[in-house]
Amino acid sequence: WEGEFFPGISKIKYEGPSSKKILSYKWYNAEEEILGKKMKDWFRFSVAFWHTFRGSGADPFGSQTKFWPWEDGTNSLAMAKRRMRANFEFVKKLGVDYWCFHDRDIAPDGKTLEESNANLDEVVALAKELQGKKIRPLWGTAQLFLHPRYMHGAATSSELAVYAYAAAQVKKAIEVTHYLGGENYVFWGGREGYQSLLNTDMKRELDHLGRFFQGAVAYKKKIGFNGTFLIEPKPQEPTKHQYDWDAATSIAFLQKYGLLEEFKLNIECNHATLSGHSCHHELETARINGVLGNVDANTGDPQIGWDTDQFLTDIGEATMVMLSVVRNGGIAPGGFNFDAKLRRESTDVEDLFIAHISGMDTMARGLRNVAKLIEDGSLGELVRKRYQSFDTEIGAEIEAGKVDFETLEKKVLEWGEPKVPSAKQELAEMIFQSAL
Amino acid sequence: WEGEFFPGISKIKYEGPSSKKILSYKWYNAEEEILGKKMKDWFRFSVAFWHTFRGSGADPFGSQTKFWPWEDGTNSLAMAKRRMRANFEFVKKLGVDYWCFHDRDIAPDGKTLEESNANLDEVVALAKELQGKKIRPLWGTAQLFLHPRYMHGAATSSELAVYAYAAAQVKKAIEVTHYLGGENYVFWGGREGYQSLLNTDMKRELDHLGRFFQGAVAYKKKIGFNGTFLIEPKPQEPTKHQYDWDAATSIAFLQKYGLLEEFKLNIECNHATLSGHSCHHELETARINGVLGNVDANTGDPQIGWDTDQFLTDIGEATMVMLSVVRNGGIAPGGFNFDAKLRRESTDVEDLFIAHISGMDTMARGLRNVAKLIEDGSLGELVRKRYQSFDTEIGAEIEAGKVDFETLEKKVLEWGEPKVPSAKQELAEMIFQSAL
Amino acid sequence: WEGEFFPGISKIKYEGPSSKKILSYKWYNAEEEILGKKMKDWFRFSVAFWHTFRGSGADPFGSQTKFWPWEDGTNSLAMAKRRMRANFEFVKKLGVDYWCFHDRDIAPDGKTLEESNANLDEVVALAKELQGKKIRPLWGTAQLFLHPRYMHGAATSSELAVYAYAAAQVKKAIEVTHYLGGENYVFWGGREGYQSLLNTDMKRELDHLGRFFQGAVAYKKKIGFNGTFLIEPKPQEPTKHQYDWDAATSIAFLQKYGLLEEFKLNIECNHATLSGHSCHHELETARINGVLGNVDANTGDPQIGWDTDQFLTDIGEATMVMLSVVRNGGIAPGGFNFDAKLRRESTDVEDLFIAHISGMDTMARGLRNVAKLIEDGSLGELVRKRYQSFDTEIGAEIEAGKVDFETLEKKVLEWGEPKVPSAKQELAEMIFQSAL
Amino acid sequence: WEGEFFPGISKIKYEGPSSKKILSYKWYNAEEEILGKKMKDWFRFSVAFWHTFRGSGADPFGSQTKFWPWEDGTNSLAMAKRRMRANFEFVKKLGVDYWCFHDRDIAPDGKTLEESNANLDEVVALAKELQGKKIRPLWGTAQLFLHPRYMHGAATSSELAVYAYAAAQVKKAIEVTHYLGGENYVFWGGREGYQSLLNTDMKRELDHLGRFFQGAVAYKKKIGFNGTFLIEPKPQEPTKHQYDWDAATSIAFLQKYGLLEEFKLNIECNHATLSGHSCHHELETARINGVLGNVDANTGDPQIGWDTDQFLTDIGEATMVMLSVVRNGGIAPGGFNFDAKLRRESTDVEDLFIAHISGMDTMARGLRNVAKLIEDGSLGELVRKRYQSFDTEIGAEIEAGKVDFETLEKKVLEWGEPKVPSAKQELAEMIFQSAL
């Protein structure tokens, strides 16, 4: 392969909302300051290698539909390197500073672990060179779900040898993430769960998972990797029940196994809705527990019960996501990773750019809307006023745990029936809608 | 009202599976010993006062359909007492030892807290007398969701005065439960949640809930009530999001607020399925975390997205419930409360008996099936064998947290590619089905 | 009750998007022409009497929360009339021309059908007077679900006498709708469905429903009522399965019973999503079958499995709704009825106005966005081009049914493997988002 | 490949419920007569070639897990023939008389249609020989979803050349089904639907689908194929919305395009539940509309939102399925096709037998339970009595459409308030449970 992978496509520029040029940013202006921070620093956008460069368009009922011009149909090391060059051309033309990867999507699996590791080292060395000074992984991770050895789980496999294999693979993946300057490391337990409780010892599997994470933390510290460890909750798929079901379940697990100080969460919108929550709910749950670490910026389809990993283009949703991120004071050292894929039927190279631009512009509109909401101030004021009865002396004492039930009962006898004002939900919705 | 409430219905007896008599037990034989325990001791069945005696048949689109002969159409104290007598006749004819209640369904709300408490005392005194020596509450609870004062929540209300009112009401409800010899006390936070995140301060509300439970624990200890405190998870309805979403979420909450030693969980099958889990999953999650405290024996409809509280008549489901309970060594001091109601269209007095008998017989079949599975042994053996690679020296070391990632990597290099056997799920399902 | 019901609230005016006045229209400008039609003629907005004036705030777990100042706590005829006056003050202050009602929410049920009819006549006479020249019902309907007599259904009740009662009630409701100048008449079969197939003869019930509709059509013609008959699909709730599940199911039913020429559909967004479809899907299904007759403008919650009837404030959704309506050439003689209710916790009189204004402004934004999309033209062009291979001679022949399989096979042998272009979904989404 | 494919497994025999032998029938006794028909004639069980012989264990997150000993890793014609021999050994050892296939799973796709057809002919000739006198296809079908050419649909593709290709492929598939003595031909429109309404002309696509089916009917008649045409409804997956959403939607479509006399439905339980219905509902909907043609005997997982195609082992569900089939007087010329696959983690050859045996035994228990219910008679009597008010003179007149609304109103005035009895749902459930 000679020359450019995306000829005819130059670096995407900000041209403002009135631009009719498809390949331009209408809302995302990297260097523009919003709410005291540059847009690029609020978002720290990242390209997901797997969807963008390994997504074949296959689904459970259909074979590959994407045949990018640079692909030669092999899974060779040479192909892996060529693909990596395509990745960096894409990342640079998009104008972002981050990328994310699984070990096995950037380099081919070998016949043995040594061979797999050698393949990985070779591709990683090239990536290091291509990264230059500015680009680095938002995070790396190990792919512990594709290979048949992981069919019963990785850390939660019923087979000890598989548990060991997963440990070895994670060890290596942390090492290369560290080597590439990655700022985080993610655990998505694709096969950590069960298909049926009838043949599963859930307690034993969860205990193994706890041990596994403890081992990973120990190794991370040993080699001096300071990136954040992130768990990515998902309720189900591929298994019937994934152990990291949602934010609250992951927090329960981290507490039980003494890991709450060592991990944050990577919240994915599509996973949130599959678990029966809004994306905003999952972000807020993570935020108020101090573990909001990263956002996988995508969306599902409200009528679909599996992970569609679509690019998010709903500006209301994007605004709610940014409400949480702004309240969190930003998301660094995490960022927004586009864990999103082209639809199976989108087969033009250009579609890769369109999808990312559309996703970035939508998030940018979300941030701009939050700025409007904050400037306007009325939504924040509505919430503050709602709880003002607790901004009193007795309120402070209750919140400090100093008032017992007997005292409270006496107060009730003294105060009589409470007056309860309107919750003003429709007003809150009106204010929110007006900012879009 | 003179004489019997259920004339023509005598005490329900066990007549065995071949009986054609509707009002008889075909599978539940209270004194029969199964797996080393009497059936009545495995189940500790309880009648839920609210559904059985206060269920009107109303739904969001329809008004009352049930007009029991003993009801006079009032919510008077006299009516409350008459109804309590009907309750005990029902409990005794059914042959169970437990009942459950909310404060406000057994006695009318007064104009003030004092008046409400006085009403409650009067009815409770009668209940105490009617209970006799054998019958007592499986649990009591406070109704903190019906009254408009609780529309924004009770412990999580935005209004301090409502928080106080809830505390006073819970204080009294614990007292009367204690007085009646109740063995547990349940918290179902009917309004503890939010309708919209736009007007909600979720962190502040959850902190209040934590303080509230801490206050309840302190009061319980002060008055020497030794019954178990139980949280009843439910994902949503009436609110969009209930804070006690599911077992895992409740465990995360209890851990965060230092309450894990003070509470167990009351798992309701219909709530389980609404949260996206099987009932068996929720029971197992509670069990392996040591907090399985009670079962609300009911079922939902797999196609319906709200709480239908139907009597469970699925013998497969009942068998899975009993698998968890038997593994737990029983459920005492909790039990099986029929948090289940007649369909709106079931309007014969006799239907109350049919429904309870059918629910009890179904659970009894579940227990008998578990006994068959245990006697057969092959399902247990299948699971044991699946994890046998961990029943080794290196397995024990891994489980003890003594093996680091570097050692595991060395093992992989030594062992090569793991062999991974079949999970035998279809065999497990065949064995399970054969026991039904 | 003397004087105004909504003192301090004057007629709501259009003030444009930059207005900060809560009680003003920012996007809905009744007389403004968009796409060749005044906004008020595109929408024909209607106030739903039941939600706005009979909504109590009660839900399955909670009692009434709304105590409007004009209510005296009774269900008397005098109260019904006072409420009707409040209704027309509200309708006029909002500046809309339509209202919708069930027979039983505007007038109290009597002890007999004669008494109920007399009550209805009295209130309807007042309504006729209050309507003046401009205001009239968008539609009327009979409430066939609240009363216990309808617990097994109305037209599909297992009881013949109930079928007859429903016919008598519908007969009267058509008459009063006709008398008031109503432009449509709606059938929402609240209890037409089943709770369990085990005790149901579905075929017999559906045959009865077919006969019932045939009878209603005959009566409508007899009295010269020219308003459109509308079926309102809903998949479930209150029953497990409602016979008018969704648009397609309703169309199948209408075809089978020879009624397709006599009915159109009233599509409700919340019902659409409960049936597993997007609102846009249901509207399009109705439109392409020539039966899009009315829109119940509301929304559900994507995480909630029951009918929440919220005011729609999602501008993306509103834009898709208006895409269908504009393609349909408008919705008259139907319109947009706000089958939407205040949240239980919204208890200020002012909230009634806020909610309707917010709903109307959101729909107005939808229409304005559609105008932008049409002016821009690129979305329409994208779709047109996608199917252009059928805009050929052979395409026309295929579409006319003139090409048999043998000829098609010959063509394939001649043409070889087809070339299949990208579906450009992400581009379509980008264009759509840009118009919001 | 020499000798047997399943050495060590002999023909599966009926050994009765007390047998502990895994590879034996405990409930299915082919020649035993139940309700006047042999069990094998009630069921007409069929093995699905695709799941059983082409299922690789791959899922959206994982690669192949099944490596059957007879597979050589190729998709060659030789391999196709060897696999066909394995199929017939399996079918015969199982003791069933039917199998089902897609054109492309039994023979490899060629580079051109001619080549694909030639491959198919070669394999089909072998199948014809191996079938012998007793075995034949329950149905054949064309695979119109796997190949990328069908990514926008087959009959509903936006590309005319793809529509033609699909026609040619269906033509051939009908021919080979006819040649093999197939008794039915199925249309499952895997890609007939849309991913987004934004880029779709739904009306045009549906019109094309109508023309396509009309063409298929014409060709079937031309070649004298008398097998039944079947549509297999599925609500979604792989597309967001499949045009044959459920039974009612399919019936609406068939009516609109004048095809109702030419098609029946193939109801799949997993598809039923994905569409929000119980399997029993879909079967009954098909039955009462005279179009119940075949059953795809499988099940989904009540917590999972995609098609899991599991073997059905729920005896309650199986009993309800058989209630419909018995009411239908049987299912011939359709049957029960096991459109069900081993779990990804079930990798023993033996598991293929276990799964089918378990599925057949479960269905057999369902039939035996229905026989018990019919013999007992009380469930049927309960339903009959429920509607007895229509078994009167006036009832018959209403059902004949002879009673107008005015007459019904007069009856109501004469009769007064109807009496409405209990629906006895809990009793129906008790009776049903007792038969299991």
Side-chain angles (χ1 to χ4, degrees), chain D residues 418-433:
Chain D
K419 287 211 280 192
V420 184
S422 172
K424 307 304 282 184
Q425 183 174 328
E426 290 81 6
L427 179 57
E429 290 166 346
M430 177 190 268
I431 297 168
F432 182 80
Q433 191 253 80

Side-chain angles (χ1 to χ4, degrees), chain C residues 149 152 160 171 194 199 204-205 208 211 222 256 281 386-387 389 391 399 406 409 417 421, chain D residues 149 152 160 171 194 199 201 204-205 208 222 281 289 386-387 389 391 399 406 409 417 421:
Chain C
R149 88 172 64 87
H152 304 307
L160 184 147
K171 174 178 173 291
Y194 62 78
N199 63 355
R204 203 167 188 180
E205 293 200 358
H208 293 176
R211 286 296 180 215
K222 180 161 186 184
K256 182 171 181 181
H281 172 83
R386 221 185 144 202
Y387 297 89
S389 63
D391 299 331
E399 294 193 334
E406 287 142 302
E409 187 184 49
E417 187 60 38
Chain D
R149 87 171 65 87
H152 305 306
L160 183 147
K171 174 178 173 292
Y194 63 79
N199 64 354
D201 185 333
R204 203 165 187 181
E205 293 199 359
H208 293 176
K222 181 162 186 183
H281 171 82
N289 283 285
R386 219 185 145 203
Y387 297 89
S389 64
D391 299 332
E399 293 192 336
E406 286 141 303
E409 187 185 48
E417 188 59 39

Side-chain angles (χ1 to χ4, degrees), chain C residues 14-81:
Chain C
Y14 172 70
E15 303 200 353
S18 61
S19 169
K20 289 286 171 197
K21 188 172 168 189
I22 290 171
L23 297 185
S24 73
Y25 295 117
K26 284 99 194 167
W27 305 91
Y28 177 65
N29 189 8
E31 302 292 332
E32 185 181 339
E33 206 167 284
I34 306 267
L35 294 171
K37 216 179 270 198
K38 288 184 177 174
M39 291 185 93
K40 68 177 186 181
D41 295 327
W42 277 116
F43 291 115
R44 301 165 54 87
F45 285 125
S46 161
V47 169
F49 192 93
W50 54 97
H51 281 316
T52 305
F53 291 96
R54 302 309 300 271
S56 73
D59 70 18
F61 298 88
S63 62
Q64 182 172 9
T65 58
K66 296 184 206 311
F67 303 91
W68 305 130
W70 57 83
E71 292 284 336
D72 64 7
T74 72
N75 192 19
S76 68
L77 200 47
M79 187 60 240
K81 290 184 188 172

Side-chain angles (χ1 to χ4, degrees), chain B residues 55-57 63-68 342-347:
Chain B
S56 73
S63 62
Q64 183 172 7
T65 58
K66 295 184 207 312
F67 303 91
W68 305 131
L342 289 187
R343 298 305 83 202
R344 182 174 191 261
E345 305 78 12
S346 299
T347 52

Side-chain angles (χ1 to χ4, degrees), chain B residues 270-281:
Chain B
N270 201 159
H271 294 177
T273 51
L274 288 172
S275 69
H277 307 299
S278 67
C279 185
H280 197 200
H281 171 83

